[in-house]
Amino acid sequence: MRTSRQNRSYLAVAEQSAIVAILPLIPSKVSPDHLTYLGFAGAILTGLSLAACSLSAAFLPLAILGLVLNWFGDSLDGSLARFRSAERPRYGFLIDHSIDLISTTFILVGLGVSPYMPFDSASFALLTYLLFCGFVYVKVAADGVHKLDFCGLGATEFRILVALWVFVVHALNLENFVNQTTAHLGRHFANVPVLNVATGVACCVACMGLFRVILRDAAKLKSVEPVPFDPGKVVELLKAEKRSA
């Protein structure tokens, strides 16, 4: 199935302009795969550096550097392949998004181990991210639309939010604040970090929004397919997709 990319994030236009300017400057020896691996290495560097911040804040600049490398590799690998007319759609989709899942897991787990966010809060964010990714991949299979953002937030905005969060918490010495628990509310309340409660509620709201989007898109597809496909037409459709792949 041919897919169309849909990116309406807040920074999409500015980011695309930067990518267009950078692509001609990339040496011919650098392949899209090299950029994919660079982005993955950046995510590992970020995750490990954030975790190491529990020992010393001196690792924080490395975490920010890792986010920059992750953006550079992840944002330019597919664009470089298209720029050089060297696309391998199925291979690229598999490698790129598999590594994206692992990369984001590294970043959020590292954030949860760091002093800048409780581990449960980072886990809530990770679970929500995985749910949204699952829907994106199902949507690609269902209608060929590859949605790259939700509510104006995409991968680039995510990296910026992570960088801003850890920088502000560190710069303003808010480590104790973000890990403050509900113990002060009395013995009838569990000793739970307040941020865990806030993050859990936010993730629940996001999941309800996702459920609404699923119902909306399902209704659209139902109107396109008002009756079940004839088995013979299904076979013909699959053969046509195979020939066009």
Short mmCIF file of all heavy atoms in Angstrom, two decimals, residues 133-163:
data_model
loop_
_atom_site.label_atom_id
_atom_site.label_comp_id
_atom_site.label_asym_id
_atom_site.label_seq_id
_atom_site.Cartn_x
_atom_site.Cartn_y
_atom_site.Cartn_z
N CYS A 133 1.68 5.27 19.08
CA CYS A 133 2.44 4.67 17.98
C CYS A 133 1.70 3.47 17.40
O CYS A 133 1.66 3.30 16.18
CB CYS A 133 3.82 4.23 18.47
SG CYS A 133 4.99 5.58 18.64
N GLY A 134 1.12 2.66 18.27
CA GLY A 134 0.35 1.52 17.80
C GLY A 134 -0.77 1.95 16.87
O GLY A 134 -1.00 1.35 15.82
N PHE A 135 -1.47 3.02 17.24
CA PHE A 135 -2.55 3.52 16.39
C PHE A 135 -2.01 4.04 15.06
O PHE A 135 -2.61 3.82 14.01
CB PHE A 135 -3.31 4.64 17.11
CG PHE A 135 -4.30 5.34 16.22
CD1 PHE A 135 -5.44 4.70 15.77
CD2 PHE A 135 -4.06 6.65 15.80
CE1 PHE A 135 -6.34 5.34 14.93
CE2 PHE A 135 -4.96 7.30 14.96
CZ PHE A 135 -6.10 6.64 14.53
N VAL A 136 -0.88 4.74 15.11
CA VAL A 136 -0.28 5.27 13.87
C VAL A 136 0.01 4.14 12.90
O VAL A 136 -0.30 4.23 11.69
CB VAL A 136 1.01 6.05 14.19
CG1 VAL A 136 1.80 6.33 12.91
CG2 VAL A 136 0.67 7.37 14.88
N TYR A 137 0.59 3.04 13.40
CA TYR A 137 0.95 1.93 12.51
C TYR A 137 -0.28 1.20 12.00
O TYR A 137 -0.31 0.75 10.85
CB TYR A 137 1.90 0.98 13.24
CG TYR A 137 3.14 1.67 13.78
CD1 TYR A 137 3.76 1.26 14.95
CD2 TYR A 137 3.69 2.77 13.11
CE1 TYR A 137 4.88 1.91 15.45
CE2 TYR A 137 4.81 3.42 13.60
CZ TYR A 137 5.41 2.99 14.76
OH TYR A 137 6.51 3.64 15.25
N VAL A 138 -1.30 1.08 12.84
CA VAL A 138 -2.55 0.47 12.38
C VAL A 138 -3.19 1.35 11.31
O VAL A 138 -3.73 0.84 10.31
CB VAL A 138 -3.51 0.26 13.57
CG1 VAL A 138 -4.90 -0.12 13.07
CG2 VAL A 138 -2.98 -0.82 14.50
N LYS A 139 -3.13 2.66 11.50
CA LYS A 139 -3.73 3.58 10.53
C LYS A 139 -3.01 3.51 9.19
O LYS A 139 -3.65 3.61 8.12
CB LYS A 139 -3.68 5.00 11.09
CG LYS A 139 -4.41 6.05 10.23
CD LYS A 139 -4.46 7.38 10.94
CE LYS A 139 -5.05 8.47 10.06
NZ LYS A 139 -6.44 8.18 9.68
N VAL A 140 -1.70 3.34 9.21
CA VAL A 140 -0.95 3.19 7.96
C VAL A 140 -1.45 1.96 7.20
O VAL A 140 -1.65 2.00 5.98
CB VAL A 140 0.56 3.06 8.25
CG1 VAL A 140 1.31 2.65 6.99
CG2 VAL A 140 1.12 4.37 8.78
N ALA A 141 -1.67 0.86 7.94
CA ALA A 141 -2.15 -0.36 7.29
C ALA A 141 -3.59 -0.23 6.82
O ALA A 141 -3.98 -0.80 5.80
CB ALA A 141 -2.03 -1.54 8.26
N ALA A 142 -4.39 0.55 7.54
CA ALA A 142 -5.83 0.64 7.24
C ALA A 142 -6.13 1.58 6.08
O ALA A 142 -6.92 1.24 5.19
CB ALA A 142 -6.60 1.07 8.49
N ASP A 143 -5.52 2.77 6.08
CA ASP A 143 -5.88 3.74 5.03
C ASP A 143 -4.68 4.40 4.35
O ASP A 143 -4.85 5.32 3.55
CB ASP A 143 -6.82 4.82 5.59
CG ASP A 143 -6.18 5.66 6.69
OD1 ASP A 143 -4.97 5.53 6.91
OD2 ASP A 143 -6.91 6.44 7.33
N GLY A 144 -3.47 3.93 4.69
CA GLY A 144 -2.29 4.45 4.00
C GLY A 144 -1.85 5.82 4.42
O GLY A 144 -1.00 6.43 3.77
N VAL A 145 -2.40 6.35 5.52
CA VAL A 145 -2.01 7.68 6.01
C VAL A 145 -1.05 7.53 7.19
O VAL A 145 -1.40 6.89 8.19
CB VAL A 145 -3.24 8.50 6.43
CG1 VAL A 145 -2.80 9.83 7.02
CG2 VAL A 145 -4.17 8.73 5.25
N HIS A 146 0.13 8.10 7.04
CA HIS A 146 1.14 8.03 8.10
C HIS A 146 1.14 9.36 8.85
O HIS A 146 1.73 10.34 8.42
CB HIS A 146 2.51 7.76 7.51
CG HIS A 146 3.57 7.55 8.54
ND1 HIS A 146 4.91 7.46 8.24
CD2 HIS A 146 3.49 7.40 9.89
CE1 HIS A 146 5.60 7.28 9.33
NE2 HIS A 146 4.76 7.25 10.35
N LYS A 147 0.45 9.39 9.98
CA LYS A 147 0.30 10.62 10.77
C LYS A 147 1.52 10.78 11.67
O LYS A 147 1.84 9.89 12.45
CB LYS A 147 -0.98 10.54 11.60
CG LYS A 147 -1.37 11.84 12.30
CD LYS A 147 -2.74 11.70 12.94
CE LYS A 147 -3.13 12.95 13.72
NZ LYS A 147 -3.21 14.13 12.84
N LEU A 148 2.18 11.93 11.58
CA LEU A 148 3.42 12.17 12.30
C LEU A 148 3.27 13.07 13.51
O LEU A 148 4.25 13.38 14.18
CB LEU A 148 4.47 12.78 11.35
CG LEU A 148 4.86 11.91 10.15
CD1 LEU A 148 5.79 12.68 9.23
CD2 LEU A 148 5.49 10.61 10.61
N ASP A 149 2.04 13.50 13.81
CA ASP A 149 1.84 14.37 14.97
C ASP A 149 0.45 14.15 15.54
O ASP A 149 -0.43 13.62 14.88
CB ASP A 149 1.99 15.83 14.56
CG ASP A 149 0.80 16.32 13.75
OD1 ASP A 149 0.70 15.94 12.56
OD2 ASP A 149 -0.04 17.05 14.29
N PHE A 150 0.29 14.55 16.79
CA PHE A 150 -1.00 14.58 17.46
C PHE A 150 -1.12 15.89 18.21
O PHE A 150 -0.22 16.24 18.99
CB PHE A 150 -1.17 13.39 18.42
CG PHE A 150 -1.52 12.10 17.74
CD1 PHE A 150 -0.52 11.23 17.33
CD2 PHE A 150 -2.84 11.77 17.48
CE1 PHE A 150 -0.84 10.05 16.70
CE2 PHE A 150 -3.17 10.59 16.85
CZ PHE A 150 -2.17 9.71 16.45
N CYS A 151 -2.20 16.60 17.95
CA CYS A 151 -2.43 17.90 18.59
C CYS A 151 -1.24 18.85 18.40
O CYS A 151 -0.87 19.61 19.31
CB CYS A 151 -2.72 17.73 20.08
SG CYS A 151 -4.22 16.79 20.41
N GLY A 152 -0.62 18.77 17.23
CA GLY A 152 0.49 19.66 16.93
C GLY A 152 1.82 19.25 17.51
O GLY A 152 2.81 19.97 17.37
N LEU A 153 1.87 18.10 18.16
CA LEU A 153 3.12 17.64 18.78
C LEU A 153 3.65 16.41 18.04
O LEU A 153 2.95 15.41 17.89
CB LEU A 153 2.89 17.30 20.25
CG LEU A 153 2.40 18.44 21.14
CD1 LEU A 153 2.17 17.94 22.56
CD2 LEU A 153 3.40 19.59 21.15
N GLY A 154 4.89 16.52 17.59
CA GLY A 154 5.54 15.41 16.92
C GLY A 154 6.83 15.05 17.64
O GLY A 154 7.07 15.46 18.78
N ALA A 155 7.68 14.30 16.97
CA ALA A 155 8.93 13.84 17.59
C ALA A 155 9.85 15.00 17.95
O ALA A 155 10.49 14.99 19.00
CB ALA A 155 9.65 12.88 16.65
N THR A 156 9.91 16.01 17.10
CA THR A 156 10.78 17.16 17.38
C THR A 156 10.30 17.93 18.61
O THR A 156 11.10 18.31 19.48
CB THR A 156 10.84 18.10 16.16
OG1 THR A 156 11.38 17.38 15.05
CG2 THR A 156 11.69 19.32 16.46
N GLU A 157 9.00 18.15 18.68
CA GLU A 157 8.44 18.83 19.86
C GLU A 157 8.69 18.02 21.13
O GLU A 157 8.97 18.59 22.19
CB GLU A 157 6.95 19.07 19.67
CG GLU A 157 6.60 20.15 18.66
CD GLU A 157 6.69 19.71 17.22
OE1 GLU A 157 6.92 18.50 16.98
OE2 GLU A 157 6.53 20.54 16.32
N PHE A 158 8.60 16.69 21.02
CA PHE A 158 8.87 15.83 22.17
C PHE A 158 10.30 16.03 22.69
O PHE A 158 10.52 16.17 23.90
CB PHE A 158 8.64 14.36 21.79
CG PHE A 158 9.25 13.38 22.74
CD1 PHE A 158 8.66 13.12 23.97
CD2 PHE A 158 10.42 12.70 22.41
CE1 PHE A 158 9.22 12.21 24.86
CE2 PHE A 158 10.98 11.78 23.28
CZ PHE A 158 10.39 11.54 24.51
N ARG A 159 11.25 16.05 21.77
CA ARG A 159 12.66 16.23 22.19
C ARG A 159 12.86 17.58 22.85
O ARG A 159 13.58 17.70 23.85
CB ARG A 159 13.58 16.09 20.98
CG ARG A 159 13.54 14.72 20.32
CD ARG A 159 14.52 14.65 19.15
NE ARG A 159 14.35 13.43 18.41
CZ ARG A 159 13.66 13.31 17.26
NH1 ARG A 159 13.09 14.40 16.74
NH2 ARG A 159 13.56 12.15 16.65
N ILE A 160 12.24 18.62 22.29
CA ILE A 160 12.38 19.95 22.87
C ILE A 160 11.75 20.00 24.26
O ILE A 160 12.33 20.60 25.19
CB ILE A 160 11.72 21.00 21.94
CG1 ILE A 160 12.53 21.13 20.65
CG2 ILE A 160 11.62 22.36 22.64
CD1 ILE A 160 11.90 22.04 19.62
N LEU A 161 10.61 19.36 24.44
CA LEU A 161 9.96 19.34 25.75
C LEU A 161 10.82 18.62 26.79
O LEU A 161 10.93 19.06 27.93
CB LEU A 161 8.59 18.67 25.64
CG LEU A 161 7.50 19.48 24.94
CD1 LEU A 161 6.24 18.64 24.77
CD2 LEU A 161 7.18 20.76 25.72
N VAL A 162 11.43 17.51 26.38
CA VAL A 162 12.32 16.79 27.30
C VAL A 162 13.51 17.67 27.69
O VAL A 162 13.85 17.79 28.88
CB VAL A 162 12.83 15.47 26.67
CG1 VAL A 162 13.92 14.84 27.53
CG2 VAL A 162 11.67 14.48 26.50
N ALA A 163 14.13 18.32 26.69
CA ALA A 163 15.28 19.18 26.97
C ALA A 163 14.89 20.35 27.88
O ALA A 163 15.61 20.67 28.85
CB ALA A 163 15.87 19.70 25.66
#
